[in-house]
Amino acid sequence: MILQIETSTQVCSVALSHKGQLLFEKVSYEGPSHAALAGSFVEEALQEMKRQQGRLEAVAVSSGPGSYTGLRIGVSLAKGLCFGYDVPLIAIPTLDILAYTAIHSHATDSGALYCAMLDARRMEVYSALYDAKLTPVETVKAEIITAESYMDYLEKTEVCFFGNGATKCQKIITSPKAVFLDGMDPLALHMIPLAEKAFAEKRFVDVAYFEPFYLKEFQATIARNKVLGDLKK
């Protein structure tokens, strides 16, 4: 049995699987309340594990990029479980999870590429480009989207854009070969095949030293009226 935890975006989800089959899933789309929800979802998953008289063999966590706070919550929870149950930790890149979701929900014979995008700020996104076999064509990066973005690919083939960073790009990337897929979120459910593969290949990370992949350093923001107020003092 493997426990999957995904907290990289506004969505919070937990799943429990046995030999690749889903046993338990809990998802909340209600916003950034991961600190309260993730632990509760995990507790319910563990109760289901006990009900089935199972034994936890690994914990998989979405490793980023994504929300700084969300990633911290998910990874901290996963580490605690790994220490408590003495099981290995599996780290699954968030954009891999997102791309897996899109590829399997929008399969095509056109040779399309798949561009996973997570919202950063303004016109910036965290993105990665994959082929239909989930092989990276371009690895994860932070980029500012312009009208020229991905034109080298769009001149040759269809590119599917998805994730919470893709919506704001729809008015900028206007190629007829650009396809925007709605309703794609990285979910714990979609981590299951990726976690199973990592477990079979023994691709574990060090529980003590593993940190989420933030891609960029966390920047705290200060409200504009607070700044103006300080300047007047």
Side-chain angles (χ1 to χ4, degrees):
M1 290 187 177
I2 300 177
L3 183 70
Q4 282 82 200
I5 301 172
E6 215 301 318
T7 56
S8 67
T9 66
Q10 297 278 336
V11 183
C12 178
S13 62
V14 170
L16 179 70
S17 62
H18 179 232
K19 295 183 178 179
Q21 300 300 311
L22 178 67
L23 296 179
F24 170 91
E25 181 191 21
K26 200 71 175 285
V27 183
S28 172
Y29 294 89
E30 297 178 359
S33 51
H34 300 348
L37 293 178
S40 175
F41 290 176
V42 166
E43 185 176 351
E44 290 183 52
L46 295 176
Q47 288 175 355
E48 176 62 20
M49 180 186 72
K50 292 178 182 177
R51 190 182 73 80
Q52 302 227 10
Q53 298 182 336
R55 179 173 60 86
L56 192 64
E57 294 183 78
V59 177
V61 67
S62 177
S63 61
S67 159
Y68 179 91
T69 302
L71 290 171
R72 295 293 296 181
I73 291 169
V75 169
S76 296
L77 181 57
K79 283 185 171 187
L81 289 164
C82 288
F83 279 121
Y85 283 87
D86 191 24
V87 295
L89 177 63
I90 298 169
I92 308 293
T94 304
L95 294 177
D96 286 9
I97 303 166
L98 192 53
Y100 178 89
T101 305
I103 290 168
H104 284 264
S105 66
H106 190 77
T108 174
D109 295 327
S110 66
L113 298 176
Y114 295 82
C115 186
M117 290 180 164
L118 290 176
D119 192 16
R121 59 175 66 89
R122 299 184 179 90
M123 286 314 300
E124 191 171 17
V125 297
Y126 303 131
S127 65
L129 190 66
Y130 304 82
D131 67 14
K133 295 182 179 179
L134 201 62
T135 303
V137 175
E138 287 192 7
T139 56
V140 59
K141 61 184 175 181
E143 64 173 335
I144 296 173
I145 298 300
T146 70
E148 300 302 314
S149 298
Y150 297 96
M151 282 306 299
D152 288 347
Y153 298 104
L154 288 164
E155 288 174 355
K156 302 172 185 176
T157 189
E158 181 180 275
V159 179
C160 299
F161 298 92
F162 48 91
N164 64 11
T167 303
K168 65 184 182 183
C169 303
Q170 198 161 356
K171 293 181 179 179
I172 298 175
I173 301 175
T174 57
S175 167
K177 290 187 178 180
V179 178
F180 287 85
L181 307 179
D182 296 327
M184 298 291 165
D185 296 298
L187 297 175
L189 169 65
H190 302 139
M191 295 172 64
I192 292 174
L194 304 177
E196 286 285 335
K197 187 173 187 295
F199 185 85
E201 296 172 357
K202 300 189 183 301
R203 286 189 281 113
F204 307 128
V205 295
D206 190 302
V207 177
Y209 296 102
F210 175 75
E211 291 291 332
F213 177 50
Y214 298 118
L215 194 57
K216 295 198 304 182
E217 290 296 323
F218 173 69
Q219 294 180 341
T221 57
I222 302 174
R224 185 170 179 269
N225 59 358
K226 175 68 167 60
V227 175
L228 293 176
D230 290 343
L231 290 175
K232 292 177 182 179
K233 291 181 181 179

